[in-house]
Amino acid sequence: IYPPTEGMLYFEGKKLKSLDPKKAIRLGIETVHQGFGLLPSMNITRNIFLGRESVKRIGPFRFLDFNNMEKESRILIQMAGIKAIADINSQVGMLSGGQQQAIKIGRTIYFKAKLVILDEPITGLSIRESDIVIKLVNELKTRGIAVIYITHRIDQVFQYCDRIDILEGGIKLGEFKREDTTIRDVEEIIRRGDIVN
């Protein structure tokens, strides 16, 4: 949404002149937002395929292929480990926060994302719901999908991340491999607000 004020943007070794949300999706970059990304009044299937509906042709006409989307939605829900959902025609607004996050992350796996940006993915979730979401984050990693995990919780950073970038006001204060730093070091950099080379 916001163009960079300086620097270069590369994805898969190619320099990008610009990047808008539609282009990002075409490239395989998906974002799972903290509080939105699903339409509460629509059912699970419609939310999963929103903007990427499956269609079938009958002569010169194209129709939404609801049977295929429902079949694929069942597969995605099973893969995402959301056991409590009995009906994929349920409205998303009736699901728990963890179930909604699992649907959003599962959708990125289904559409074969190459990079997933997770914005505070377990904020406000119960321990059980957080476990489901973290299991999906690990599934992304297992499939070789790059994950940018955005959080203010330093304990989560050290638990789930391989590399740590510290940002403040759009400025990078430091970049580290997890094994080369400690929670205390990261907290101190954040407190001081100094750029570390």
Side-chain angles (χ1 to χ4, degrees):
I1 294 172
Y2 299 105
T5 52
E6 60 181 283
M8 302 295 174
L9 184 61
Y10 290 87
F11 185 68
E12 295 189 311
K14 295 178 186 158
K15 184 178 173 183
L16 302 176
K17 292 179 181 174
S18 64
L19 187 64
D20 59 59
K22 284 185 180 180
K23 185 175 182 180
I25 290 170
R26 280 195 312 273
L27 290 171
I29 302 170
E30 299 278 349
T31 304
V32 176
H33 298 282
Q34 178 181 351
F36 58 94
L38 299 173
L39 298 175
S41 62
M42 291 179 76
N43 71 25
I44 294 167
T45 298
R46 293 302 304 269
N47 268 283
I48 290 171
F49 287 92
L50 189 63
R52 303 177 194 183
E53 288 80 4
S54 180
V55 294
K56 59 184 175 184
R57 287 188 176 274
I58 300 176
F61 303 104
R62 292 171 30 154
F63 298 92
L64 292 178
D65 190 347
F66 288 107
N67 289 335
N68 182 59
M69 289 189 286
E70 287 179 5
K71 181 185 90 175
E72 295 298 313
S73 294
R74 285 188 185 90
I75 292 168
L76 186 146
I77 294 218
Q78 186 175 25
M79 178 212 65
I82 315 171
K83 298 180 177 87
I85 297 176
D87 183 9
I88 55 168
N89 292 308
S90 301
Q91 285 187 339
V92 163
M94 303 304 290
L95 304 177
S96 72
Q99 290 170 327
Q100 291 182 30
Q101 283 294 75
I103 286 172
K104 290 188 273 184
I105 295 171
R107 182 171 62 189
T108 70
I109 296 170
Y110 179 82
F111 286 109
K112 297 179 174 53
K114 297 174 184 176
L115 168 65
V116 178
I117 302 167
L118 300 173
D119 180 17
E120 300 275 358
I122 61 175
T123 297
L125 301 184
S126 70
I127 292 171
R128 185 178 299 145
E129 290 175 328
S130 295
D131 287 345
I132 291 169
V133 171
I134 293 306
K135 180 181 167 201
L136 285 169
V137 172
N138 288 327
E139 178 68 18
L140 293 170
K141 187 175 179 180
T142 300
R143 291 173 181 251
I145 299 169
V147 177
I148 296 175
Y149 189 102
I150 301 167
T151 183
H152 296 96
R153 299 267 316 270
I154 298 171
D155 60 318
Q156 288 177 17
V157 170
F158 277 83
Q159 192 171 357
Y160 310 128
C161 301
D162 299 319
R163 197 175 81 211
I164 300 162
D165 284 87
I166 305 167
L167 301 174
E168 185 176 316
I171 296 170
K172 184 158 75 168
L173 300 181
E175 179 181 335
F176 310 92
K177 289 183 180 176
R178 180 184 57 201
E179 62 270 17
D180 294 340
T181 191
T182 66
I183 290 176
R184 176 173 265 154
D185 293 340
V186 170
E187 287 174 341
E188 189 57 32
I189 293 165
I190 293 168
R191 276 190 198 96
R192 289 194 326 255
D194 295 336
I195 296 174
V196 177
N197 293 325

